[in-house]
Amino acid sequence: MKQATTAIRSIDRVSHVVFWFLAVSVVMLSFVYAFFIQKAIRNVVARDEVHAEIASLNSKLSAAEFKYINSVESVTLDKASLLGFTPTVDGQTTFITRETIGKNVAVR
């Protein structure tokens, strides 16, 4: 009888430990789940903010392109001469080139 009581008590202790282990595990997993849900929500909000900013920048870019196209169409020789530009004389045209030095340099 004494052995049966001891066996029942040891089973009771094991079940008590298993219960608390499972209870703590459930609580910890709940916190981890809540953390990941919160991160997902923040990422969705950030993505929406980025999309709004992209839309705003696209509209500013379109306005700048439109302004550029209109300004290119308004450039004339008269306007250029008013700004100080002069036509080049044949033979005086000079182009800037970049000389490459060390064409056969090996990097090891």
Side-chain angles (χ1 to χ4, degrees):
M1 177 79 164
K2 196 171 193 181
Q3 290 177 345
T5 333
T6 308
I8 291 173
R9 284 187 184 176
S10 75
I11 291 173
D12 189 37
R13 285 186 200 133
V14 170
S15 65
H16 185 72
V17 169
V18 168
F19 169 77
W20 281 109
F21 174 77
L22 291 176
V24 169
S25 297
V26 166
V27 170
M28 287 177 56
L29 289 174
S30 297
F31 281 120
V32 170
Y33 177 75
F35 173 77
F36 284 125
I37 292 293
Q38 179 255 355
K39 290 297 264 182
I41 290 171
R42 284 185 186 241
N43 286 339
V44 167
V45 169
R47 185 186 68 205
D48 289 343
E49 290 173 356
V50 167
H51 281 292
E53 186 175 349
I54 288 172
S56 171
L57 290 175
N58 278 338
S59 66
K60 287 180 183 178
L61 178 65
S62 296
E65 287 175 346
F66 183 73
K67 183 178 176 183
Y68 171 75
I69 290 170
N70 285 338
S71 66
V72 165
E73 291 175 356
S74 68
V75 174
T76 61
L77 287 176
D78 295 332
K79 189 172 184 179
S81 64
L82 287 174
L83 293 174
F85 291 95
T86 57
T88 60
V89 180
D90 289 336
Q92 289 184 347
T93 305
T94 306
F95 296 99
I96 299 174
T97 60
R98 181 181 298 184
E99 293 182 28
T100 56
I101 300 174
K103 292 181 181 177
N104 296 326
V105 175
V107 179
R108 295 182 187 186

XYZ file of all heavy atoms in Angstrom:
845
model
N 0.809 -1.190 0.000
C 0.000 0.000 0.000
C 0.858 1.261 0.000
O 0.514 2.233 -0.640
C -0.902 -0.072 1.231
C -1.752 1.110 1.405
S -3.120 0.939 0.274
C -4.172 2.093 0.927
N 1.962 1.168 0.760
C 2.857 2.300 0.846
C 3.502 2.561 -0.520
O 3.684 3.713 -0.905
C 3.916 2.010 1.908
C 4.656 3.219 2.349
C 5.522 2.864 3.552
C 6.003 4.123 4.191
N 6.841 3.920 5.314
N 3.830 1.495 -1.230
C 4.437 1.648 -2.555
C 3.439 2.272 -3.536
O 3.823 3.082 -4.381
C 4.899 0.293 -3.083
C 6.092 -0.259 -2.340
C 6.458 -1.629 -2.853
O 5.675 -2.264 -3.559
N 7.639 -2.093 -2.477
N 2.200 1.905 -3.449
C 1.169 2.467 -4.332
C 1.006 3.953 -4.068
O 0.871 4.765 -5.002
C -0.148 1.739 -4.127
N 1.001 4.351 -2.792
C 0.873 5.768 -2.458
C 2.081 6.551 -2.963
O 1.940 7.670 -3.485
C 0.758 5.961 -0.929
O 0.205 4.824 -0.310
C -0.080 7.136 -0.595
N 3.262 5.986 -2.854
C 4.471 6.652 -3.338
C 4.430 6.790 -4.864
O 4.800 7.831 -5.408
C 5.718 5.853 -2.914
O 5.667 5.608 -1.507
C 6.980 6.601 -3.248
N 3.970 5.766 -5.548
C 3.867 5.802 -7.009
C 2.854 6.847 -7.458
O 3.086 7.593 -8.417
C 3.493 4.433 -7.545
N 1.735 6.915 -6.746
C 0.710 7.914 -7.093
C 1.246 9.327 -6.873
O 1.026 10.223 -7.684
C -0.571 7.657 -6.278
C -1.235 6.366 -6.753
C -1.540 8.827 -6.404
C -2.397 5.934 -5.907
N 1.984 9.514 -5.781
C 2.537 10.850 -5.502
C 3.589 11.227 -6.549
O 3.666 12.384 -6.973
C 3.138 10.882 -4.104
C 2.087 10.952 -3.046
C 2.682 11.164 -1.691
N 1.598 11.122 -0.703
C 1.776 11.200 0.578
N 2.990 11.335 1.067
N 0.757 11.150 1.400
N 4.424 10.296 -6.986
C 5.434 10.615 -7.998
C 4.761 10.926 -9.346
O 5.202 11.819 -10.069
C 6.442 9.484 -8.140
O 5.893 8.394 -8.831
N 3.680 10.203 -9.656
C 2.919 10.505 -10.876
C 2.275 11.879 -10.750
O 2.247 12.663 -11.706
C 1.872 9.412 -11.153
C 2.561 8.113 -11.548
C 0.895 9.848 -12.234
C 1.626 6.935 -11.671
N 1.776 12.209 -9.560
C 1.170 13.512 -9.329
C 2.206 14.624 -9.500
O 1.909 15.668 -10.075
C 0.548 13.547 -7.933
C -0.294 14.793 -7.722
O -0.961 15.197 -8.703
O -0.267 15.360 -6.604
N 3.434 14.414 -9.016
C 4.497 15.410 -9.172
C 4.848 15.589 -10.648
O 5.036 16.712 -11.118
C 5.734 14.984 -8.393
C 5.600 15.170 -6.920
C 6.909 14.859 -6.221
N 6.637 14.582 -4.829
C 7.108 13.570 -4.146
N 7.907 12.700 -4.732
N 6.803 13.403 -2.889
N 4.968 14.501 -11.373
C 5.299 14.562 -12.800
C 4.199 15.288 -13.562
O 4.465 16.153 -14.395
C 5.532 13.148 -13.368
C 5.638 13.184 -14.886
C 6.777 12.530 -12.770
N 2.955 14.960 -13.263
C 1.850 15.633 -13.958
C 1.811 17.114 -13.591
O 1.478 17.958 -14.430
C 0.519 14.963 -13.650
O 0.194 15.109 -12.280
N 2.168 17.447 -12.358
C 2.221 18.844 -11.927
C 3.305 19.594 -12.712
O 3.072 20.706 -13.205
C 2.490 18.900 -10.412
C 2.459 20.265 -9.833
N 1.295 20.962 -9.683
C 3.463 21.064 -9.350
C 1.567 22.136 -9.142
N 2.888 22.217 -8.921
N 4.489 18.990 -12.866
C 5.586 19.608 -13.618
C 5.208 19.751 -15.088
O 5.436 20.796 -15.709
C 6.880 18.793 -13.449
C 7.960 19.251 -14.427
C 7.388 18.883 -12.025
N 4.608 18.718 -15.653
C 4.198 18.768 -17.064
C 3.150 19.852 -17.271
O 3.203 20.607 -18.249
C 3.680 17.388 -17.531
C 2.995 17.485 -18.883
C 4.813 16.380 -17.569
N 2.206 19.950 -16.362
C 1.175 20.983 -16.467
C 1.797 22.378 -16.471
O 1.471 23.201 -17.319
C 0.163 20.863 -15.316
C -0.747 22.055 -15.228
C -1.797 22.192 -16.110
C -0.527 23.048 -14.271
C -2.637 23.296 -16.044
C -1.355 24.153 -14.200
C -2.411 24.274 -15.084
N 2.690 22.666 -15.527
C 3.281 24.004 -15.470
C 4.194 24.269 -16.662
O 4.265 25.393 -17.160
C 4.025 24.212 -14.155
C 3.058 24.515 -13.052
C 2.712 23.709 -12.016
C 2.264 25.692 -12.932
N 1.758 24.313 -11.246
C 1.464 25.548 -11.784
C 2.137 26.851 -13.667
C 0.568 26.516 -11.360
C 1.255 27.824 -13.252
C 0.477 27.648 -12.115
N 4.879 23.237 -17.133
C 5.696 23.392 -18.330
C 4.825 23.769 -19.522
O 5.147 24.693 -20.276
C 6.469 22.103 -18.623
C 7.224 22.153 -19.922
C 8.409 22.855 -20.021
C 6.737 21.487 -21.042
C 9.100 22.908 -21.216
C 7.425 21.541 -22.239
C 8.609 22.247 -22.324
N 3.712 23.086 -19.692
C 2.806 23.389 -20.801
C 2.164 24.756 -20.633
O 1.990 25.498 -21.604
C 1.744 22.299 -20.925
C 2.248 20.929 -21.407
C 1.120 19.913 -21.383
C 2.840 21.041 -22.792
N 1.803 25.111 -19.405
C 1.180 26.422 -19.169
C 2.157 27.551 -19.493
O 1.800 28.529 -20.169
C 0.706 26.518 -17.718
N 3.399 27.434 -19.039
C 4.409 28.457 -19.329
C 4.699 28.493 -20.833
O 4.851 29.573 -21.413
C 5.689 28.205 -18.504
C 6.835 29.079 -18.970
C 5.415 28.426 -17.022
N 4.749 27.347 -21.462
C 4.988 27.296 -22.908
C 3.879 27.988 -23.674
O 4.144 28.729 -24.635
C 5.105 25.847 -23.382
O 6.204 25.224 -22.794
N 2.640 27.777 -23.278
C 1.502 28.432 -23.947
C 1.587 29.941 -23.784
O 1.375 30.700 -24.738
C 0.159 27.878 -23.410
C -0.998 28.748 -23.829
C -0.047 26.457 -23.896
N 1.929 30.402 -22.587
C 2.044 31.848 -22.353
C 3.183 32.427 -23.192
O 3.014 33.480 -23.839
C 2.249 32.131 -20.849
C 2.618 33.582 -20.612
C 0.996 31.764 -20.070
N 4.319 31.771 -23.212
C 5.455 32.265 -23.988
C 5.144 32.275 -25.485
O 5.451 33.240 -26.184
C 6.698 31.424 -23.707
C 7.296 31.681 -22.341
S 8.706 30.642 -21.953
C 9.799 30.961 -23.296
N 4.528 31.222 -25.968
C 4.167 31.176 -27.386
C 3.125 32.229 -27.732
O 3.129 32.781 -28.840
C 3.680 29.780 -27.770
C 4.770 28.707 -27.820
C 4.148 27.340 -28.066
C 5.793 29.030 -28.887
N 2.245 32.545 -26.796
C 1.264 33.609 -27.023
C 1.959 34.956 -27.174
O 1.604 35.761 -28.048
C 0.264 33.673 -25.873
O -0.471 32.481 -25.784
N 2.970 35.221 -26.336
C 3.710 36.467 -26.452
C 4.491 36.534 -27.769
O 4.525 37.575 -28.425
C 4.656 36.652 -25.264
C 3.982 37.139 -24.028
C 4.011 36.377 -22.865
C 3.316 38.357 -24.002
C 3.388 36.825 -21.714
C 2.696 38.812 -22.852
C 2.723 38.050 -21.709
N 5.088 35.432 -28.166
C 5.823 35.395 -29.433
C 4.869 35.621 -30.600
O 5.165 36.372 -31.541
C 6.588 34.059 -29.579
C 7.149 33.879 -30.977
C 7.694 33.971 -28.545
N 3.710 34.997 -30.558
C 2.702 35.177 -31.608
C 2.259 36.634 -31.681
O 2.173 37.219 -32.759
C 1.511 34.259 -31.322
C 0.384 34.413 -32.314
C 0.483 33.884 -33.590
C -0.789 35.073 -31.953
C -0.555 34.016 -34.496
C -1.830 35.217 -32.849
C -1.702 34.681 -34.120
O -2.726 34.823 -35.006
N 1.989 37.242 -30.523
C 1.579 38.653 -30.492
C 2.686 39.550 -31.038
O 2.414 40.516 -31.769
C 1.211 39.059 -29.070
N 3.937 39.234 -30.725
C 5.063 40.016 -31.233
C 5.113 39.968 -32.756
O 5.268 40.998 -33.417
C 6.362 39.493 -30.629
C 7.597 40.114 -31.220
C 7.983 41.394 -30.856
C 8.361 39.409 -32.135
C 9.112 41.966 -31.404
C 9.494 39.975 -32.681
C 9.872 41.255 -32.312
N 4.977 38.770 -33.328
C 5.039 38.646 -34.781
C 3.835 39.289 -35.464
O 3.962 39.868 -36.550
C 5.195 37.182 -35.193
C 6.582 36.658 -34.977
C 6.792 35.526 -34.215
C 7.672 37.295 -35.524
C 8.060 35.033 -34.016
C 8.956 36.815 -35.331
C 9.151 35.678 -34.567
N 2.689 39.216 -34.860
C 1.513 39.889 -35.423
C 1.727 41.405 -35.426
O 1.424 42.093 -36.403
C 0.233 39.515 -34.629
C -0.110 38.047 -34.840
C -0.940 40.413 -34.993
C -0.526 37.711 -36.260
N 2.268 41.919 -34.322
C 2.535 43.356 -34.224
C 3.557 43.780 -35.285
O 3.400 44.821 -35.921
C 3.042 43.667 -32.807
C 3.381 45.104 -32.559
C 4.878 45.362 -32.515
O 5.692 44.456 -32.578
N 5.225 46.613 -32.443
N 4.605 42.976 -35.507
C 5.598 43.292 -36.530
C 4.971 43.284 -37.923
O 5.289 44.129 -38.755
C 6.757 42.293 -36.478
C 7.643 42.422 -35.280
C 8.338 43.744 -35.230
C 9.714 43.626 -35.810
N 10.456 44.882 -35.752
N 4.091 42.343 -38.188
C 3.432 42.272 -39.492
C 2.567 43.500 -39.726
O 2.554 44.068 -40.826
C 2.600 40.996 -39.590
N 1.854 43.932 -38.695
C 1.003 45.118 -38.828
C 1.860 46.355 -39.086
O 1.535 47.185 -39.944
C 0.126 45.288 -37.571
C -0.920 44.178 -37.524
C -0.543 46.651 -37.538
C -1.695 44.111 -36.226
N 2.981 46.484 -38.372
C 3.864 47.633 -38.587
C 4.433 47.622 -40.005
O 4.573 48.674 -40.631
C 5.000 47.631 -37.573
C 4.560 48.082 -36.210
C 5.765 48.179 -35.285
N 5.332 48.469 -33.941
C 5.688 49.556 -33.279
N 6.479 50.438 -33.833
N 5.258 49.752 -32.059
N 4.774 46.444 -40.524
C 5.298 46.359 -41.885
C 4.256 46.766 -42.912
O 4.570 47.416 -43.905
C 5.809 44.953 -42.168
C 7.120 44.662 -41.465
O 7.845 45.572 -41.083
N 7.412 43.387 -41.271
N 3.008 46.393 -42.689
C 1.933 46.777 -43.614
C 1.747 48.288 -43.595
O 1.608 48.930 -44.649
C 0.621 46.042 -43.262
C -0.557 46.645 -43.998
C 0.747 44.567 -43.576
N 1.768 48.896 -42.416
C 1.617 50.351 -42.303
C 2.793 51.051 -42.981
O 2.604 52.031 -43.714
C 1.488 50.765 -40.819
C 1.595 52.260 -40.660
C 0.182 50.259 -40.244
N 4.008 50.555 -42.757
C 5.188 51.153 -43.387
C 5.114 51.034 -44.902
O 5.483 51.971 -45.620
C 6.451 50.498 -42.855
N 4.637 49.886 -45.391
C 4.511 49.705 -46.841
C 3.519 50.695 -47.429
O 3.758 51.285 -48.493
C 4.088 48.274 -47.163
C 4.070 47.989 -48.661
C 3.518 46.628 -48.967
N 2.109 46.621 -48.626
C 1.418 45.545 -48.315
N 1.999 44.386 -48.285
N 0.137 45.618 -48.038
N 2.402 50.918 -46.736
C 1.421 51.890 -47.214
C 2.003 53.296 -47.237
O 1.749 54.066 -48.170
C 0.167 51.852 -46.339
C -0.646 50.586 -46.556
O -0.426 49.905 -47.584
O -1.507 50.287 -45.691
N 2.802 53.648 -46.215
C 3.433 54.966 -46.191
C 4.420 55.115 -47.336
O 4.500 56.172 -47.973
C 4.134 55.194 -44.851
C 3.178 55.365 -43.690
C 3.889 55.417 -42.350
O 5.135 55.249 -42.318
O 3.194 55.613 -41.342
N 5.169 54.055 -47.633
C 6.131 54.108 -48.727
C 5.408 54.242 -50.062
O 5.845 54.999 -50.936
C 7.049 52.859 -48.706
C 7.843 52.718 -49.986
C 7.979 52.920 -47.515
N 4.302 53.540 -50.232
C 3.533 53.662 -51.474
C 3.005 55.085 -51.645
O 3.004 55.625 -52.755
C 2.373 52.660 -51.502
C 2.798 51.268 -51.856
N 3.251 50.913 -53.102
C 2.843 50.140 -51.116
C 3.550 49.637 -53.125
N 3.328 49.139 -51.918
N 2.555 55.694 -50.565
C 2.074 57.074 -50.642
C 3.212 58.018 -51.001
O 3.041 58.946 -51.815
C 1.446 57.480 -49.313
N 4.380 57.801 -50.430
C 5.527 58.651 -50.742
C 5.966 58.465 -52.194
O 6.318 59.427 -52.870
C 6.688 58.324 -49.801
C 7.868 59.251 -49.961
C 8.955 58.987 -48.946
O 8.732 58.227 -47.984
O 10.054 59.549 -49.128
N 5.926 57.232 -52.677
C 6.276 56.975 -54.079
C 5.305 57.687 -55.008
O 5.714 58.281 -56.011
C 6.312 55.456 -54.355
C 7.538 54.838 -53.698
C 6.309 55.157 -55.851
C 7.560 53.318 -53.745
N 4.029 57.648 -54.688
C 3.035 58.333 -55.520
C 3.292 59.833 -55.532
O 3.203 60.484 -56.581
C 1.632 58.032 -55.007
N 3.628 60.392 -54.378
C 3.919 61.827 -54.292
C 5.153 62.172 -55.120
O 5.153 63.164 -55.862
C 4.133 62.218 -52.831
O 4.613 63.524 -52.743
N 6.204 61.366 -55.010
C 7.416 61.635 -55.781
C 7.183 61.466 -57.286
O 7.752 62.208 -58.090
C 8.539 60.709 -55.311
C 9.099 60.998 -53.922
C 10.109 59.931 -53.530
C 9.715 62.375 -53.851
N 6.359 60.504 -57.660
C 6.035 60.333 -59.082
C 5.308 61.547 -59.638
O 5.561 61.967 -60.769
C 5.208 59.066 -59.300
C 6.063 57.828 -59.364
O 7.250 57.902 -59.655
N 5.466 56.686 -59.090
N 4.396 62.122 -58.857
C 3.687 63.301 -59.342
C 4.625 64.504 -59.447
O 4.545 65.289 -60.388
C 2.496 63.631 -58.437
O 2.943 64.031 -57.160
N 5.563 64.629 -58.479
C 6.549 65.719 -58.568
C 7.454 65.529 -59.779
O 7.803 66.499 -60.473
C 7.393 65.771 -57.294
C 6.661 66.309 -56.096
C 7.557 66.329 -54.870
C 6.811 66.787 -53.649
N 7.658 66.761 -52.435
N 7.839 64.284 -60.043
C 8.680 63.994 -61.198
C 7.947 64.315 -62.498
O 8.528 64.897 -63.421
C 9.112 62.530 -61.185
C 9.958 62.066 -62.367
C 11.291 62.784 -62.379
C 10.152 60.571 -62.308
N 6.676 63.973 -62.579
C 5.897 64.278 -63.783
C 5.809 65.776 -64.001
O 5.929 66.258 -65.137
C 4.496 63.683 -63.659
O 4.561 62.284 -63.598
N 5.608 66.534 -62.925
C 5.542 67.990 -63.049
C 6.879 68.557 -63.518
O 6.926 69.465 -64.362
C 5.135 68.610 -61.716
N 7.988 68.016 -62.989
C 9.311 68.491 -63.400
C 9.583 68.142 -64.865
O 10.158 68.954 -65.600
C 10.383 67.889 -62.500
N 9.173 66.959 -65.308
C 9.349 66.582 -66.710
C 8.537 67.486 -67.628
O 9.015 67.903 -68.683
C 8.946 65.120 -66.921
C 9.919 64.119 -66.358
C 9.435 62.686 -66.486
O 8.227 62.478 -66.764
O 10.250 61.787 -66.299
N 7.319 67.802 -67.224
C 6.475 68.685 -68.016
C 7.103 70.076 -68.117
O 7.142 70.682 -69.189
C 5.077 68.768 -67.390
C 4.114 69.590 -68.168
C 3.581 69.125 -69.360
C 3.730 70.847 -67.713
C 2.687 69.888 -70.084
C 2.847 71.622 -68.430
C 2.318 71.135 -69.624
N 7.639 70.574 -66.997
C 8.294 71.884 -66.987
C 9.523 71.868 -67.881
O 9.780 72.819 -68.625
C 8.679 72.246 -65.550
C 9.293 73.602 -65.400
C 9.604 73.878 -63.933
C 10.305 75.199 -63.755
N 10.681 75.453 -62.373
N 10.292 70.783 -67.850
C 11.481 70.659 -68.683
C 11.108 70.643 -70.166
O 11.737 71.329 -70.976
C 12.252 69.391 -68.325
C 13.365 69.078 -69.292
C 14.555 69.798 -69.274
C 13.217 68.067 -70.243
C 15.571 69.524 -70.173
C 14.226 67.782 -71.141
C 15.400 68.512 -71.106
O 16.397 68.237 -71.997
N 10.096 69.873 -70.525
C 9.672 69.795 -71.935
C 9.226 71.162 -72.419
O 9.558 71.584 -73.533
C 8.569 68.737 -72.106
C 9.161 67.340 -71.914
C 7.899 68.848 -73.470
C 8.135 66.239 -71.834
N 8.490 71.884 -71.599
C 8.051 73.226 -71.983
C 9.228 74.188 -72.114
O 9.248 75.037 -73.008
C 7.040 73.779 -70.980
C 5.692 73.127 -71.144
O 5.372 72.590 -72.193
N 4.896 73.170 -70.089
N 10.220 74.071 -71.246
C 11.367 74.978 -71.325
C 12.243 74.649 -72.527
O 12.838 75.546 -73.117
C 12.180 74.944 -70.037
O 12.778 73.682 -69.879
N 12.345 73.369 -72.918
C 13.139 73.001 -74.088
C 12.505 73.576 -75.347
O 13.215 74.041 -76.251
C 13.268 71.461 -74.183
C 13.761 71.023 -75.546
C 14.200 70.948 -73.107
N 11.212 73.579 -75.401
C 10.525 74.107 -76.583
C 10.667 75.620 -76.699
O 10.551 76.179 -77.781
C 9.044 73.718 -76.537
C 8.810 72.235 -76.729
C 7.350 71.847 -76.569
O 6.529 72.717 -76.244
O 7.048 70.668 -76.765
N 10.955 76.304 -75.586
C 11.045 77.762 -75.627
C 12.449 78.260 -75.930
O 12.662 79.459 -76.062
C 10.568 78.354 -74.296
O 11.479 78.018 -73.260
N 13.437 77.365 -76.052
C 14.805 77.784 -76.348
C 14.919 78.108 -77.837
O 14.572 77.306 -78.696
C 15.812 76.671 -75.961
C 17.222 77.042 -76.407
C 15.768 76.415 -74.482
N 15.418 79.311 -78.112
C 15.627 79.749 -79.502
C 17.022 80.351 -79.613
O 17.689 80.600 -78.609
C 14.585 80.803 -79.920
O 14.721 81.938 -79.066
C 13.167 80.250 -79.837
N 17.470 80.618 -80.860
C 18.776 81.241 -81.059
C 18.801 82.659 -80.500
O 19.809 83.113 -79.957
C 19.132 81.248 -82.553
C 19.515 79.893 -83.140
C 19.740 80.003 -84.643
C 20.759 79.354 -82.464
N 17.691 83.372 -80.624
C 17.630 84.736 -80.078
C 17.782 84.731 -78.565
O 18.515 85.550 -77.995
C 16.307 85.406 -80.473
C 16.187 85.610 -81.976
O 17.252 85.741 -82.629
O 15.055 85.626 -82.473
N 17.102 83.821 -77.913
C 17.187 83.727 -76.458
C 18.595 83.336 -76.035
O 19.130 83.838 -75.043
C 16.161 82.727 -75.926
C 16.024 82.726 -74.426
C 14.871 81.872 -73.979
C 14.692 81.964 -72.472
N 13.562 81.170 -72.013
N 19.233 82.418 -76.772
C 20.593 81.996 -76.462
C 21.569 83.160 -76.616
O 22.461 83.345 -75.787
C 21.005 80.839 -77.357
N 21.399 83.964 -77.656
C 22.305 85.114 -77.834
C 22.083 86.153 -76.741
O 23.023 86.812 -76.310
C 22.126 85.731 -79.221
O 20.814 86.250 -79.348
N 20.851 86.306 -76.247
C 20.602 87.211 -75.124
C 21.297 86.722 -73.844
O 21.718 87.526 -73.008
C 19.104 87.354 -74.861
C 18.302 88.179 -75.866
C 16.819 88.111 -75.541
C 18.773 89.624 -75.836
N 21.434 85.417 -73.715
C 22.088 84.851 -72.534
C 23.609 84.826 -72.654
O 24.297 84.457 -71.715
C 21.570 83.426 -72.278
C 20.105 83.325 -71.851
C 19.685 81.872 -71.785
C 19.899 83.996 -70.501
N 24.151 85.240 -73.820
C 25.597 85.325 -73.967
C 26.219 84.205 -74.766
O 27.446 84.163 -74.893
N 25.450 83.327 -75.327
C 26.005 82.264 -76.162
C 26.321 82.823 -77.540
O 25.581 83.646 -78.075
C 25.016 81.100 -76.292
C 24.831 80.335 -75.014
C 23.785 80.626 -74.145
C 25.706 79.317 -74.680
C 23.619 79.919 -72.972
C 25.550 78.605 -73.504
C 24.498 78.908 -72.643
N 27.427 82.381 -78.112
C 27.814 82.835 -79.456
C 28.012 81.616 -80.341
O 28.433 80.548 -79.861
C 29.131 83.638 -79.406
O 30.144 82.827 -78.830
C 28.964 84.912 -78.588
N 27.762 81.753 -81.626
C 27.984 80.629 -82.529
C 29.482 80.377 -82.703
O 30.294 81.299 -82.618
C 27.332 81.061 -83.830
C 27.175 82.526 -83.745
C 27.164 82.893 -82.300
N 29.845 79.113 -82.948
C 31.252 78.765 -83.139
C 31.656 78.996 -84.572
O 30.846 78.901 -85.500
C 31.494 77.286 -82.800
O 30.693 76.487 -83.639
C 31.194 77.008 -81.351
N 32.925 79.303 -84.732
C 33.486 79.498 -86.067
C 34.086 78.168 -86.497
O 34.662 77.451 -85.678
C 34.562 80.601 -86.035
C 35.161 80.827 -87.413
C 33.992 81.887 -85.468
N 33.940 77.834 -87.791
C 34.478 76.563 -88.280
C 35.966 76.469 -87.966
O 36.715 77.412 -88.163
C 34.262 76.433 -89.793
C 32.795 76.209 -90.127
O 32.077 75.716 -89.235
O 32.378 76.523 -91.249
N 36.390 75.330 -87.481
C 37.784 75.103 -87.140
C 38.083 75.396 -85.681
O 39.133 75.051 -85.180
N 37.206 76.051 -84.986
C 37.438 76.361 -83.584
C 36.652 75.434 -82.642
O 36.719 75.596 -81.448
C 37.033 77.808 -83.283
C 37.945 78.833 -83.874
C 37.535 80.235 -83.452
O 36.449 80.430 -82.925
N 38.406 81.190 -83.685
N 35.921 74.508 -83.211
C 35.146 73.603 -82.379
C 36.089 72.653 -81.645
O 36.948 72.032 -82.248
C 34.166 72.797 -83.239
O 33.371 73.708 -83.981
C 33.271 71.937 -82.378
N 35.944 72.582 -80.345
C 36.805 71.741 -79.521
C 35.931 70.800 -78.705
O 34.926 71.226 -78.133
C 37.641 72.598 -78.558
O 38.338 73.583 -79.317
C 38.635 71.750 -77.798
N 36.339 69.543 -78.673
C 35.623 68.549 -77.877
C 36.517 68.085 -76.741
O 37.730 67.952 -76.903
C 35.203 67.349 -78.735
C 34.216 67.711 -79.805
C 34.631 67.919 -81.114
C 32.874 67.848 -79.502
C 33.723 68.256 -82.096
C 31.963 68.185 -80.475
C 32.388 68.397 -81.780
N 35.937 67.828 -75.625
C 36.681 67.339 -74.479
C 36.637 65.818 -74.508
O 35.582 65.224 -74.644
C 36.075 67.859 -73.161
C 36.142 69.362 -73.136
C 36.786 67.254 -71.970
C 35.444 69.974 -71.943
N 37.816 65.209 -74.390
C 37.879 63.754 -74.354
C 38.618 63.325 -73.098
O 39.405 64.082 -72.535
C 38.620 63.189 -75.581
O 39.936 63.704 -75.588
C 37.897 63.546 -76.869
N 38.372 62.142 -72.694
C 39.042 61.589 -71.524
C 40.078 60.585 -72.008
O 39.750 59.599 -72.643
C 38.034 60.894 -70.611
C 38.683 60.315 -69.372
C 37.706 59.629 -68.512
N 36.718 60.594 -68.052
C 35.739 60.319 -67.194
N 35.611 59.106 -66.726
N 34.895 61.229 -66.819
N 41.339 60.876 -71.677
C 42.397 59.966 -72.069
C 42.461 58.856 -71.029
O 42.407 59.101 -69.836
C 43.736 60.681 -72.123
C 43.819 61.713 -73.223
C 45.192 62.357 -73.268
O 46.169 61.695 -72.866
O 45.269 63.502 -73.695
N 42.592 57.632 -71.520
C 42.719 56.508 -70.594
C 44.197 56.214 -70.416
O 44.936 56.069 -71.387
C 41.987 55.276 -71.121
O 42.490 54.970 -72.423
C 40.498 55.513 -71.181
N 44.623 56.174 -69.186
C 46.023 55.905 -68.872
C 46.102 54.485 -68.304
O 45.315 54.103 -67.466
C 46.547 56.923 -67.850
C 46.433 58.331 -68.428
C 47.979 56.612 -67.452
C 46.783 59.415 -67.455
N 47.083 53.759 -68.733
C 47.279 52.415 -68.208
C 46.229 51.437 -68.695
O 45.534 50.819 -67.910
N 46.158 51.282 -70.002
C 45.156 50.367 -70.552
C 45.453 48.905 -70.208
O 44.562 48.101 -70.126
C 45.081 50.523 -72.074
C 44.519 51.829 -72.535
C 44.451 51.885 -74.037
C 43.908 53.206 -74.499
N 43.897 53.318 -75.959
N 46.734 48.605 -70.023
C 47.120 47.209 -69.805
C 47.520 46.943 -68.360
O 48.421 46.173 -68.103
C 48.275 46.835 -70.747
C 47.853 46.905 -72.202
O 46.703 46.609 -72.517
N 48.762 47.297 -73.065
N 46.873 47.577 -67.442
C 47.199 47.391 -66.039
C 46.424 46.200 -65.507
O 45.205 46.110 -65.673
C 46.853 48.659 -65.212
C 47.081 48.410 -63.739
C 47.665 49.827 -65.698
N 47.130 45.295 -64.874
C 46.486 44.109 -64.306
C 46.380 44.279 -62.795
O 47.351 44.674 -62.140
C 47.274 42.849 -64.643
N 45.222 43.976 -62.251
C 45.018 44.054 -60.814
C 45.042 42.631 -60.270
O 44.314 41.769 -60.723
C 43.678 44.746 -60.495
C 43.473 44.789 -59.000
C 43.648 46.133 -61.086
N 45.899 42.407 -59.279
C 46.000 41.063 -58.711
C 45.468 41.028 -57.333
O 45.487 41.866 -56.569
C 47.439 40.575 -58.717
C 47.951 40.408 -60.113
C 49.354 39.875 -60.077
N 49.849 39.905 -61.448
C 50.978 39.409 -61.785
N 51.758 38.857 -60.891
N 51.380 39.449 -63.024
